[in-house]
Amino acid sequence: RVHGGHTSEVYGCSFSPDGLHVVSCSNDKSVRIWDVSTGKQIAVCNGHFRRVNGCSFSPDGKKVVSCSGDATVRVWDAMSGEQTALMEGHGWVRACSFSPDGSKVVSCSDDKTVRVWDANSGDQIVLFEGHTGEVRSCSFSFDGTKVVSCSNDETLRIWDLNNTSVAVVLHTTGWVRGCSFSPDGSKVVSCSDDKTIRVWNVLTSQQLTSMEGHSDVIIGCSFSPDGTKVVSCSDD
């Protein structure tokens, strides 16, 4: 089914937890929420003044978070499209997502930082500093206690929300464009400009495997729900 309404390139989209709705974001500066079965637009979230780089639903499906080149992260009501929280402090924001309990938002930016915010008030809770290049991707572990991020500085970093002064640093080659935790939190997968996908042990910081096959830059990767497989996508 085609959901038409954006007036420029679409940079991100994802399903709601119940699979009934889709959220999308675009170079047209809008975030839009759609009914999957009918294809009709439910809400338009207007407020960003540069392209919107990422968007996703909260775990309960009632809110949506988005991030933009306008240096803001915003939370919206998924039914009305009204803005409920504004997070400011970053430069150009590359990625954002909710914590598993929906109480927090994590984001990363070209300003080389990763930040954790209160999803309701918009207040900054934690500032993670250490990357020396643009931070391309970030996400929570499934228990919400850790954050993984990856950067142009050729590293992944695993941050502990209970010990914010220390990060586990994983060194690879090439800009690292994507990263995420396995469902049980024991592993991290990453993908890089070196055309490899790597799986890492979170506890030991050791690389477990390297997967090759793509012939160009790999731009995204994630685990399957049972943690036994990895999916990736590339400019090839």
Side-chain angles (χ1 to χ4, degrees):
R1 185 178 298 275
V2 177
H3 298 349
H6 283 297
T7 58
S8 190
E9 298 96 332
V10 180
Y11 287 111
C13 60
S14 63
F15 279 100
S16 60
D18 61 10
L20 299 179
H21 302 111
V22 165
V23 62
S24 59
C25 59
S26 169
N27 192 43
D28 68 10
K29 308 169 190 173
S30 75
V31 178
R32 297 173 188 251
I33 300 161
W34 313 85
D35 184 287
V36 171
S37 61
T38 66
K40 291 182 178 179
Q41 184 175 282
I42 296 172
V44 182
C45 310
N46 289 314
H48 286 297
F49 54 88
R50 286 188 177 176
R51 84 180 210 188
V52 189
N53 294 317
C55 60
S56 61
F57 279 94
S58 59
D60 63 7
K62 294 181 179 180
K63 294 180 180 179
V64 163
V65 66
S66 62
C67 60
S68 167
D70 67 10
T72 69
V73 180
R74 301 172 191 248
V75 177
W76 315 84
D77 183 282
M79 294 309 294
S80 69
E82 293 182 2
Q83 183 178 296
T84 63
L86 173 65
M87 294 88 161
E88 297 178 291
H90 270 308
W92 183 288
V93 193
R94 291 277 177 183
C96 62
S97 61
F98 281 97
S99 60
D101 66 1
S103 67
K104 302 177 187 71
V105 166
V106 65
S107 60
C108 60
S109 168
D110 284 5
D111 65 13
K112 307 174 187 177
T113 70
V114 179
R115 300 173 192 244
V116 177
W117 315 83
D118 185 295
N120 294 312
S121 69
D123 293 337
Q124 183 177 291
I125 300 171
V126 180
L127 168 64
F128 292 122
E129 296 179 291
H131 281 296
T132 59
E134 299 170 1
V135 190
R136 313 288 300 192
S137 182
C138 61
S139 61
F140 282 98
S141 59
F142 284 78
D143 64 2
T145 63
K146 294 180 176 64
V147 166
V148 63
S149 60
C150 59
S151 168
N152 293 1
D153 66 10
E154 302 189 350
T155 72
L156 295 90
R157 294 174 190 251
I158 300 172
W159 313 88
D160 191 329
L161 270 68
N162 297 314
N163 185 6
T164 59
S165 62
V166 178
V168 175
V169 183
L170 308 176
H171 294 273
T172 182
T173 56
W175 289 10
V176 193
R177 295 183 179 267
C179 59
S180 62
F181 281 97
S182 61
D184 65 2
S186 68
K187 302 178 185 71
V188 164
V189 64
S190 66
C191 58
S192 171
D193 280 8
D194 69 1
K195 306 172 189 175
T196 66
I197 302 152
R198 301 171 191 253
V199 178
W200 310 81
N201 183 300
V202 171
L203 186 62
T204 65
S205 305
Q206 296 299 306
Q207 181 180 302
L208 298 176
T209 187
S210 176
M211 294 171 272
E212 299 181 25
H214 285 295
S215 58
D216 206 336
V217 172
I218 307 173
I219 58 176
C221 59
S222 63
F223 281 97
S224 60
D226 64 1
T228 64
K229 300 177 183 68
V230 167
V231 65
S232 60
C233 56
S234 167
D235 284 348
D236 63 12

